[in-house]
Amino acid sequence: MIPARVPRVLRMGPARLTAGLDHCRRLDLPAHRTLHGVVAPRELGELISYANEVDMRGRGGAAFPFARKLRAVADAVGSGGECVVLVNGAEGEPASSKDAMLLTRNPHLVLDGAVLAAEALGAREVVLATAGGEVAEASVAAAVAERRAANVSGGAESRVPIRVVGIKERFISGEGGALVNAVNGQEGIPPGRKRRAAQSGVDGLPTLLSNTETYAQLALLAEYGPQKYAEVGTAKEPGTILLTVSGGAANGAVIEVPTGVMLADVLDLCEADIGDGVLFGGYHGAWLSAEAVETAVVSREGMKAAGATLGAGIIVPVGSSTCSLGEAARVASYLASQSAGQCGPCRLGLPNVGRLMCDLVEGNGSVDAIRRAVRVVERRGACSHPDGTAKFVLSALDAFESEITLHLEQGSCGRPVRGVMPMPELEKEVEYRLEVDWSRCVGHGLCAHLLPEFVHLDDYGFPSFRTVPAFMLKEARRAVDMCPALALRLAENGGDGHGPAPKPAASPLRLVKDGMLKAGSSVPRLTRVGASPSVSRAGGNAG
């Protein structure tokens, strides 16, 4: 069964990436070979020439030239070295479904492209990383098994070993460094220092890292050749692309279109209610006004002219039935929760931006305060997540100016927040609370200096507290241990808010101070007290 999160497939123009999906819910190996045949191996120079001729770019959002990636890995390998081909199927972006669709319904096209690249580079293996436990992972694993079976019966489907890795899915899981970390068995977060996968990736080897759709496009390019491949699309950006349309669209779908189509035509096909604007490029993208949508062209060049970026082809019309400012605040809060927690701008600055956006929805705060908070996080993060979030928030402030005025003047725009922006169901994060023994507190204020984002001092120097997220637990414990009056306690936030709060465990250092713990004694742990032009349709509703 195809899960509900993989939408129906539509197309405008010829079928390439979506060929065969009109009649098959999933193309197994025989069906795939009937459509595409067996792609013969290509020399590295030939693949690089093909990619250069059509200016093939990565389809994961950064649009990096694919030929340059191939050359960089080849140069890093040198003579006699090993390398790895890594397929980035970690679609952490909630508003995107194109990669999940390809891996679920057309996995062999992706694997064809990855194996082509691996053979040309002499790679040790192909690694395909995708969200663990999802149907896409099972579909790819089944595709690999189909290829192995074909090899047993005399075929040549397993020319390069293929390994499928299921990783924990979150917004930042698709970032290149985070993906490499996850495949290497480490925590799947971006490294503090940027490193190039082409130099050191999987197992420290030079790694060709690119998006799921990119490898599918490579397979098509090898099948058609550059001239036929370029028969559709624009002269500068030939070929077709996949778009994901959701939000205020009655007919949300993954759509294959040739570059150069009008954005308005795509939205019409999806019966989209534009409302106050359309988000293009995902949750690190930018909002387009209804006026800009009418003239926008779907291509890298066209979207840049409209004031957005093509990115991974994510289109989210907000619709007219929901509060657009409230939807933007939901996304800002979600992005804050997706912090890797490894730098101040991300773990402290983004939650502050999210709170200020929510205050604005309630008719409080100010746009200037949000802009100041955004400036604090821009260009200061360990990865690009703070910058992408800042771009989204600033774009929303510009796009929803009239909405903001209504909220500040009347407290509301009159429309509810319906939650049309796609959002995953997240496990509740563990949070902690600081409690104070008022018989001991003398208003020293040290806790506010140690945790300025979570402790506020009143006019008399006495503290009040915000909930402390799990990634700040170390700093919160430090504030507890350093309180000169021994007045602070730390407990896990939970329960239903009724009845007395459970008594938190004291920290080891406090027990020593209070004379309750002798040298060599066992140290009690912190007690947990809660939970934290032509149009055709390819296939029916995949839900």
Side-chain angles (χ1 to χ4, degrees):
M1 284 288 289
I2 297 174
R5 69 185 296 267
V6 180
R8 63 179 58 84
V9 174
L10 305 175
R11 71 173 69 93
M12 299 174 67
R16 289 188 169 183
L17 294 162
T18 60
L21 299 185
D22 304 61
H23 311 293
C24 298
R25 293 177 67 78
R26 177 185 180 274
L27 294 174
D28 60 13
L29 186 58
H32 172 74
R33 290 295 175 233
T34 299
L35 278 170
H36 298 284
V38 178
V39 181
R42 299 291 199 279
E43 295 294 330
L44 178 63
E46 186 176 16
L47 279 188
I48 291 175
S49 176
Y50 278 13
N52 273 327
E53 192 169 339
V54 299
D55 192 20
M56 183 177 168
R57 303 293 185 101
R59 304 303 174 96
F64 194 83
F66 188 72
R68 286 172 57 186
K69 282 191 176 184
L70 282 169
R71 176 57 67 191
V73 173
D75 290 345
V77 171
S79 58
E82 285 189 322
C83 67
V84 173
V85 169
L86 177 57
V87 182
N88 186 351
E91 200 166 29
E93 166 70 65
S96 180
S97 296
K98 69 183 183 71
D99 289 347
M101 185 281 292
L102 279 173
L103 295 177
T104 301
R105 302 191 65 181
N106 203 0
H108 288 286
L109 190 64
V110 178
L111 294 178
D112 272 358
V115 169
L116 269 173
E119 289 176 333
L121 290 166
R124 182 187 74 183
E125 64 176 340
V126 169
V127 178
L128 194 150
T130 187
E134 297 287 345
V135 174
E137 181 187 21
S139 174
V140 176
V144 173
E146 290 167 5
R147 288 171 174 248
R148 287 174 181 157
N151 191 54
V152 168
S153 61
E157 304 297 343
S158 300
R159 299 178 297 226
V160 177
I162 303 172
R163 177 161 57 104
V164 181
V165 178
I167 66 172
K168 182 179 179 180
E169 186 176 32
R170 54 186 301 193
F171 188 84
I172 59 174
S173 60
E175 193 273 340
L179 189 74
V180 168
N181 281 343
V183 171
N184 286 337
Q186 302 166 7
E187 186 178 3
I189 62 174
R193 287 186 174 183
K194 185 170 179 61
R195 59 172 181 258
R196 296 187 181 278
Q199 298 293 326
S200 178
V202 176
D203 295 337
L205 298 173
T207 299
L208 179 68
L209 168 59
S210 208
N211 169 263
T212 297
E213 184 190 344
T214 311
Y215 287 107
Q217 294 282 1
L218 180 64
L220 292 174
L221 179 59
E223 177 186 347
Y224 294 143
Q227 186 173 353
K228 183 177 179 181
Y229 182 90
E231 287 178 355
V232 299
T234 67
K236 290 185 177 180
E237 302 174 36
T240 65
I241 57 176
L242 292 178
L243 307 172
T244 307
V245 183
S246 59
N251 196 23
V254 171
I255 309 175
E256 182 177 15
V257 305
T259 56
V261 302
M262 300 301 294
L263 176 57
D265 291 337
V266 175
L267 294 172
D268 285 344
L269 173 63
C270 294
E271 302 174 32
D273 178 9
I274 295 175
D276 294 324
V278 174
L279 179 66
F280 208 105
Y283 291 169
H284 279 177
W287 290 93
L288 295 178
S289 67
E291 294 76 17
V293 167
E294 290 302 317
T295 58
V297 175
V298 179
S299 66
R300 294 192 306 272
E301 191 175 67
M303 296 316 301
K304 183 178 180 181
T309 56
L310 181 61
I314 299 165
I315 306 173
V316 189
V318 70
S320 56
S321 65
T322 189
C323 171
S324 50
L325 180 62
E327 295 289 345
R330 282 181 65 241
V331 174
S333 298
Y334 162 72
L335 293 174
S337 75
Q338 294 299 289
S339 164
Q342 61 183 343
C343 68
C346 205
R347 70 183 185 183
L348 300 177
L350 293 189
N352 187 42
V353 171
R355 287 192 294 268
L356 291 172
M357 285 289 288
C358 292
D359 288 344
L360 199 61
V361 175
E362 296 173 359
N364 304 316
S366 72
V367 171
D368 288 342
I370 296 174
R371 293 187 185 278
R372 286 195 297 271
V374 167
R375 282 197 292 270
V376 170
V377 305
E378 283 184 300
R379 296 181 295 278
R380 297 182 57 222
C383 68
S384 61
H385 185 52
D387 289 344
T389 304
K391 178 183 177 182
F392 170 86
V393 169
L394 292 177
S395 176
L397 295 180
D398 293 336
F400 305 137
E401 187 175 357
S402 59
E403 283 279 300
I404 293 170
T405 300
L406 285 174
H407 279 262
L408 291 177
E409 291 179 352
Q410 303 175 15
S412 170
C413 64
R415 293 180 290 185
V417 181
R418 299 188 181 278
V420 303
M421 306 291 287
M423 205 75 70
E425 293 184 9
L426 300 175
E427 294 181 7
K428 188 173 182 181
E429 293 282 342
V430 177
E431 295 181 331
Y432 298 86
R433 67 179 182 274
L434 288 165
E435 297 175 343
V436 63
D437 181 349
W438 294 110
S439 67
R440 292 189 176 193
C441 181
V442 294
H444 185 279
L446 180 60
C447 54
H449 290 284
L450 295 173
L451 289 171
E453 290 289 333
F454 305 100
V455 182
H456 173 72
L457 300 181
D458 64 18
D459 293 340
Y460 300 98
F462 290 96
S464 60
F465 307 105
R466 289 183 182 270
T467 300
V468 180
F471 60 74
M472 289 294 293
L473 180 58
K474 180 180 178 180
E475 290 81 356
R477 282 176 170 159
R478 180 167 173 259
V480 169
D481 290 340
M482 294 187 68
C483 177
L486 307 181
L488 283 183
R489 296 290 188 274
L490 183 65
E492 188 173 322
N493 207 23
D496 58 6
H498 301 288
K503 183 178 179 181
S507 70
L509 179 57
R510 176 174 302 285
L511 293 175
V512 172
K513 287 181 178 179
D514 288 345
M516 298 168 60
L517 185 66
K518 297 180 181 179
S521 300
S522 61
V523 178
R525 298 191 175 196
L526 182 67
T527 304
R528 286 178 170 263
V529 294
S532 50
S534 61
V535 175
S536 62
R537 300 175 184 270
N541 188 342

